[in-house]
Amino acid sequence: QSVLTQPPSASGTPGQRVTISCSGSSSNIGRHYVYWYQQLPGTAPKLLIYRDSLRPSGVPDRFSASKSGTSASLAISGLRSEDEADYYCATWDDRLSGWVFGGGTKLTVL
Amino acid sequence: EVHLVESGGGLVQPGGSLRLSCAASGFTFSSYTMNWVRQAPGKGLEWISYIGSSGGPIYYADSVKGRFTISRDSAKNSVFLQMKSLRAEDTALYYCARQYSYDSNGLDVWGKGTTVTVSS
């Protein structure tokens, strides 16, 4: 069972907006930045969002994220077929002294 | 261009040992903390170890503590993961990932991974 809780699946049709939630606790999300990763099938994870809501260069502004208290969320607007991937939230956990990941959300574009 | 290339994976019997390597290029290795993250077949990401830019601090996930040892060699721009007493549940794709030591940019670059299979 993952320290961070994500829904196992999400779906949407092209052009729609979908959100993925990530729930943690005071020892992790409540104290540290949240990061989001996109993992396309058969590839390594790619940093999508850092410091709660910032996008690395090259990441489309269709991807946005926010954090409040001990929860965070990732939003993808204007959904495209190439967004079909697994999405993971991550942060540092003070109690565990390590990085913790959500269980991952498989996004399906219908 | 920034690259992380893992190697050393393979098939090993339960109870055996393996040493993974991760070669870094294209960036100032000494400015980065390095991490190992694994992914069991069909499963999610699991962080397993962290080593600071100067060789410390070092942290491990409970699942590998006492069995795995992380180290780094600045002369070789490499990080290593010595794994012993391997179990079937250690079967996974092992990634190394860098983390800038002086800012909160997360695990921003990952290698493609090396596969470890623990089976008799």
Side-chain angles (χ1 to χ4, degrees):
Chain A
Q1 191 162 350
S2 302
V3 173
L4 304 181
T5 302
Q6 296 180 235
S9 63
S11 63
T13 56
Q16 270 192 331
R17 182 177 187 270
V18 297
T19 61
I20 296 170
S21 62
C22 175
S23 177
S25 69
S26 58
S27 65
N28 43 65
I29 292 180
R31 293 185 182 184
H32 297 281
Y33 288 123
V34 174
Y35 303 83
W36 289 90
Y37 295 88
Q38 177 193 58
Q39 187 175 33
L40 297 169
T43 70
K46 168 192 167 185
L47 182 64
L48 201 62
I49 297 287
Y50 67 105
R51 292 189 217 167
D52 295 343
S53 61
L54 301 182
R55 287 184 308 276
S57 60
V59 173
D61 59 7
R62 301 186 298 105
F63 294 90
S64 62
S66 62
K67 186 180 87 172
S68 178
T70 59
S71 295
S73 64
L74 173 71
I76 309 170
S77 59
L79 203 59
R80 296 185 176 187
S81 58
E82 57 260 37
D83 297 333
E84 196 160 277
D86 293 323
Y87 293 85
Y88 295 89
C89 58
T91 189
W92 185 263
D93 190 293
D94 284 342
R95 185 175 61 83
L96 299 174
S97 293
W99 285 92
V100 290
F101 289 90
T105 299
K106 184 175 184 62
L107 175 64
T108 301
V109 180
L110 302 168
Chain B
E1 192 176 351
V2 174
H3 280 298
L4 293 172
V5 179
E6 302 90 340
S7 61
L11 174 64
V12 60
Q13 292 189 337
S17 299
L18 214 53
R19 187 187 192 224
L20 305 184
S21 300
C22 170
S25 61
F27 63 96
T28 304
F29 185 67
S30 61
S31 295
Y32 286 81
T33 292
M34 298 300 294
N35 293 265
W36 286 96
V37 178
R38 69 184 179 184
Q39 187 169 33
K43 302 297 184 182
L45 302 172
E46 179 191 15
W47 169 84
I48 55 173
S49 191
Y50 164 122
I51 184 167
S53 56
S54 301
I58 288 175
Y59 302 113
Y60 299 99
D62 286 345
S63 58
V64 305
K65 201 172 292 183
R67 300 188 300 122
F68 290 12
T69 303
I70 192 171
S71 62
R72 63 189 293 158
D73 185 333
S74 59
K76 295 181 179 179
N77 280 359
S78 294
V79 60
F80 308 98
L81 188 69
Q82 178 68 51
M83 306 185 295
K84 64 178 184 179
S85 303
L86 283 162
R87 307 166 181 166
E89 53 265 36
D90 296 318
T91 294
L93 181 60
Y94 284 72
Y95 296 103
C96 67
R98 76 171 194 178
Q99 173 187 350
Y100 188 54
S101 298
Y102 304 103
D103 214 334
S104 306
N105 295 341
L107 307 179
D108 67 337
V109 174
W110 298 56
K112 294 187 187 315
T114 186
T115 299
V116 172
T117 303
V118 183
S119 175
S120 55

